[in-house]
Amino acid sequence: MIGIELHNLAKKFWKINRSITGEGVRLTLEIIRKYYLLDLIVHSVPSGTKVFDWTVPMEWHVDEAYIIAPDGSKICDFSLNNLHLVGYSIPFCGKIKLDDLKNHLYSLPEQPNAIPYVTSYYKENWGFCITQNQKESLAEGEYEVVIKSKIFSGNLNYGEIILPGKSNKEVFLSTYICHPSMANNEISGPVILTYLAKWLKDLPDKNYTYRIVFVPETIGSITYISKNLKSLKKNVFAGFNISCVGDDRSYSYLPSRDGKTISDEVAKHVLKWIDPNYKKYNWCDRGSDERQYCAPGIDLPIASILRTKYGMYPEYHTSLDNLEEVVTPIGLNGGYLALKKSLEIIEKNKIYKTNILCEPQLSKRALYPSISIKNKNLETRRLLDIISYCDGKHSLLDIAEKIDVPAWDLYEQVDKLIQHDLIYQIK
Amino acid sequence: MIGIELHNLAKKFWKINRSITGEGVRLTLEIIRKYYLLDLIVHSVPSGTKVFDWTVPMEWHVDEAYIIAPDGSKICDFSLNNLHLVGYSIPFCGKIKLDDLKNHLYSLPEQPNAIPYVTSYYKENWGFCITQNQKESLAEGEYEVVIKSKIFSGNLNYGEIILPGKSNKEVFLSTYICHPSMANNEISGPVILTYLAKWLKDLPDKNYTYRIVFVPETIGSITYISKNLKSLKKNVFAGFNISCVGDDRSYSYLPSRDGKTISDEVAKHVLKWIDPNYKKYNWCDRGSDERQYCAPGIDLPIASILRTKYGMYPEYHTSLDNLEEVVTPIGLNGGYLALKKSLEIIEKNKIYKTNILCEPQLSKRALYPSISIKNKNLETRRLLDIISYCDGKHSLLDIAEKIDVPAWDLYEQVDKLIQHDLIYQIK
Amino acid sequence: MIGIELHNLAKKFWKINRSITGEGVRLTLEIIRKYYLLDLIVHSVPSGTKVFDWTVPMEWHVDEAYIIAPDGSKICDFSLNNLHLVGYSIPFCGKIKLDDLKNHLYSLPEQPNAIPYVTSYYKENWGFCITQNQKESLAEGEYEVVIKSKIFSGNLNYGEIILPGKSNKEVFLSTYICHPSMANNEISGPVILTYLAKWLKDLPDKNYTYRIVFVPETIGSITYISKNLKSLKKNVFAGFNISCVGDDRSYSYLPSRDGKTISDEVAKHVLKWIDPNYKKYNWCDRGSDERQYCAPGIDLPIASILRTKYGMYPEYHTSLDNLEEVVTPIGLNGGYLALKKSLEIIEKNKIYKTNILCEPQLSKRALYPSISIKNKNLETRRLLDIISYCDGKHSLLDIAEKIDVPAWDLYEQVDKLIQHDLIYQIK
């Protein structure tokens, strides 16, 4: 089960302090490059660069951050859990009374054991995240706050790899690398996309070109689009945003804005056959980089195949979204296979035509039992069903939907029909 | 609550003896003109005028009508209830035995306390309407019938007011004024249309022109169409026939013949949000002037928003359809608001486009919280939802349907987005 | 009830040993020709003729076939039941042990009293069909097998009759004549098609031309298409494959491959009104000559109206599919009427336009009651409903669907409206 390998890579990503910029992003990309995808290109975009309505932010670096309590104990230590520090906290060192400190403490009363995930990217601020239980136990008195961080003109980074196929038409795959230690709503994405990229790289005779990116969410995808809009719009005909693909509690689908692209059709087909109870969201439930890829004027055909969607599980955006209770080898395995099956369908989703008017005589080709008796020759019936839709109008996916079987159950039979010269691919 | 004002106007209309022609129509129009809409034009079309397949009928006038029973008592007195006399009864004075009289008496055995509403517009006849209870109590003997009516070459009248807007494109509103004392299936229509016209007249910067008519049902609308067919077909893009809008028992929708006009879409949207259990009729349930407005070759986009539809409540077309038990201030208020909301949507149903590629950075415009924490900022999400559909293809109504909210919940936010230069109207 | 006549003809067809070629086919066609359709043309196509991917097979003739058991008794006697001999059995005479014989015996363990129907058209072989009960009772020992059959270069035959109408546009009706003694899945088809053809022949002023064929299944329809492809594709706009129309257990519909042809619309309309619980199959449930007529590149608009479909009743393809328990006069009657009603709709499914703008004044034509009282004049309402859809866009079938009545309930009223010059046919 490939899920175990995926889970091992997830562990490597776990402790890295990712944010929308900084060392954490670069370190994550370097692991992917060095161990899996030597051709991965890591791009740098300087702080201050205008990208559509946005500006690439300053880079953020943290040396250390913690609080010394009145009793001398160290709490909210960033080195122990990078969620403790509010993302993009400005440097601050000083003594402060509990009541004032509390204005800078974030906790979740309804999840008293969870450290929440909080950021302040675009407004100068500092703060710590703490469990509600610990916050309530804090004694009155003076606290010493230490935040040794830097916010400086640096770079935003993202990784990109292009895997060429026979056609210039592209399948676009994107995931994000900007959250610190959270498992489903971060690490599951780059882990699975790394393995998908590795599989695609080794896949011989690819029909399509694959454009694969690892970007900081929102600002990263906006930056990527602003630098590649023309070629994205020209070439991309299918793709997925990959997020929350690591738990084993459900499968979900979130449509592209259009809702009727080939990516949508493939996602619904695959999930229907993997899990008939999969959850269908709609566009208004969106929340990741499909917001940018499908924005008006961008209009890329990007759908999402997820396990349990961001925002829909209690551990989301807290320290509880971990690699033990939430993301599991089985969960990752399922997410990987759902996406792999989808990409396989896109590769094989051709349109065929019969070479023969009326039904062919299968018996002379040993594709039909010579004795006709009251029974059900399902293999023969399936071949004839396929042929009956090889009219130059139905794609392989259309045929699978018509016959009501998984598309992957047709691959072998379609090949057999081609070998017998009964059908041919028209596009 | 405007329902009280509406109910007061209804009382003014109550005792007037309306028919498809005559003083009652003119008196009703004069009340509307004098007290509410000074610009209302009252048109006269002479008896005998050909209007498509029909001929404008003679005018009908009643001085008095009653029956003297054998015991000398006066019954079926038109001056006490104008429903007692069959509409368009020819003059008749004479003595007649009970058995012969009964051939001219109309009653409803299944509603023994109701005086039915009966007319004989296009065939010479006379008759009286009476409760079943009273009819059964009539003694044998000779009855003296007095009908002092006149049928003469006069006019058919209707009222019309055009309220110009920025565009020549017109919204067409029609109601009927031809039934005597009945509340829901008559008076509720002209009452609400009078107030809608008054509101529209005072509405500044109207996008569209409003063509508003008060016509006798069937012959009046046919006459109106025959005189205005070209401009109606050229200009009218939306509209409603207004009937049975005064009781508080239900909301209903009756489609245009086409069923897919903007009037239909708006009516269904408004009613869905006002009353999820509203009743949907189909074209074969029609029965008012939409029969003419939507006839083949006329093809106007006229739908109907009703409270309880004609024919679907027991008091319909009887003396029980009154201003106490059936039509109420609350009922009229609901009917008025449903239509007003529909007209507001038509006014505001524009198509927008974003000024920005990818999502805009709302935080720099103070439209987004600067601290991102696990919560639900519904206002921000709504703004982004709207923007995501401002692609030049979705109208405001389309967007409301996509986001699954009432269109009126979007007005303020659309204005805000325009003010921030994030979207602009394309048409 | 015409069902009795149909059942009598079925009995004439019963004992004839039909196969895809041979005397049985010719004898069946001769009965149809001589007694019902003198203009029927019987075509002959020589063995060896290439028809698309197929070759017309050798002709098969049987003089006698039986087995002598060790105790001297004659079993599996072809002269007693032609199902006993596997179709296209080659000649064989010889003594054989029970164990070897069993390799040539076909039976149905789950239906121990049924003789199955087995053929081996395209591979040389011989065999007998026997009930499971009889097979189990066979004693050890030597059996004498006698099959005096001939396989020789002869002809494939089919019958064809063209009934010309006002238009060259054709309705195509096909049934098959290639199974030996089986009632629903064979005889019901040619019986009903014979009577439909007789009715159509005598129908005056047919709007369309009717092309009616009686063909051996599969090879016969392929042969017919290969000889008539151009004219079929040019002229045929509707039609049905007629099979399994004789039992009284259900009604069923099997779509054309396209699923949206006029044949499909008519079939669904008729069956909905005959039996609201009729069974809807889909294209993947097909199994008769629609496989050829609707094949890619052939694309004829051929749907199927059936009683209980082939493969869906236990007696199918066995000796139990008989004229006593399975096919009945009532069953045939229902199958005949469903198809006749469908053809009537196709004949009458014209598009109309009103002559009048707005509603016509029905009262002046005595089509409307002169006194209007609270009641329901359904006849008048129906006339107005029809007129309201006579807009040059709705066919009679469309109107019936809109008004939600059987199309045949509208024929008389449409005629009345034409007589009153209120509507006219545009095509």
Side-chain angles (χ1 to χ4, degrees), chain A residues 53-54 120-123, chain B residues 360-371 380 384 422:
Chain A
D53 193 47
W54 301 64
S120 181
Y121 297 140
Y122 298 102
K123 189 173 177 193
Chain B
Q361 192 180 359
L362 294 185
S363 59
K364 75 183 184 190
R365 295 175 179 88
L367 294 170
Y368 194 86
S370 60
I371 282 276
T380 302
L384 289 170
L422 290 170

Side-chain angles (χ1 to χ4, degrees), chain B residues 52-54 106 111 118-120 122-123 125 225 229 257 283-284 286 291-292 295-296 298 314 316 318, chain C residues 356-361 363-365 370-374 381 384-385 387-391 402-403:
Chain B
F52 297 132
D53 193 46
W54 301 64
Y106 299 93
Q111 287 177 285
V118 179
T119 65
S120 182
Y122 298 102
K123 187 172 179 195
N125 208 337
I225 294 167
L229 182 58
R257 188 167 67 90
W283 174 247
C284 289
R286 73 198 178 285
R291 286 155 38 211
Q292 315 310 330
I298 310 300
Y316 169 72
T318 76
Chain C
I356 285 167
L357 286 171
C358 291
E359 287 187 343
Q361 192 180 359
S363 58
K364 73 183 186 193
R365 295 174 179 86
S370 59
I371 283 274
S372 168
I373 190 169
K374 180 183 177 178
R381 157 134 331 242
L384 290 169
D385 283 348
I387 292 169
S388 89
Y389 286 114
C390 288
D391 57 359
K402 286 276 186 184
I403 305 183

Side-chain angles (χ1 to χ4, degrees), chain A residues 402-413:
Chain A
K402 286 276 188 184
I403 305 184
D404 201 26
V405 295
W408 47 87
D409 279 6
L410 301 182
Y411 298 160
E412 203 180 308
Q413 286 166 315

Side-chain angles (χ1 to χ4, degrees), chain A residues 117-150:
Chain A
Y117 169 54
V118 180
T119 65
S120 181
Y121 297 140
Y122 298 102
K123 189 173 177 193
E124 290 203 350
N125 208 336
W126 64 265
F128 284 90
C129 300
I130 186 170
T131 68
Q132 178 73 9
N133 285 344
Q134 188 170 20
K135 184 171 154 191
E136 284 170 7
S137 73
L138 295 180
E140 293 295 327
E142 215 168 51
Y143 286 77
E144 186 187 348
V145 172
V146 176
I147 303 177
K148 294 189 178 166
S149 67
K150 280 184 286 189

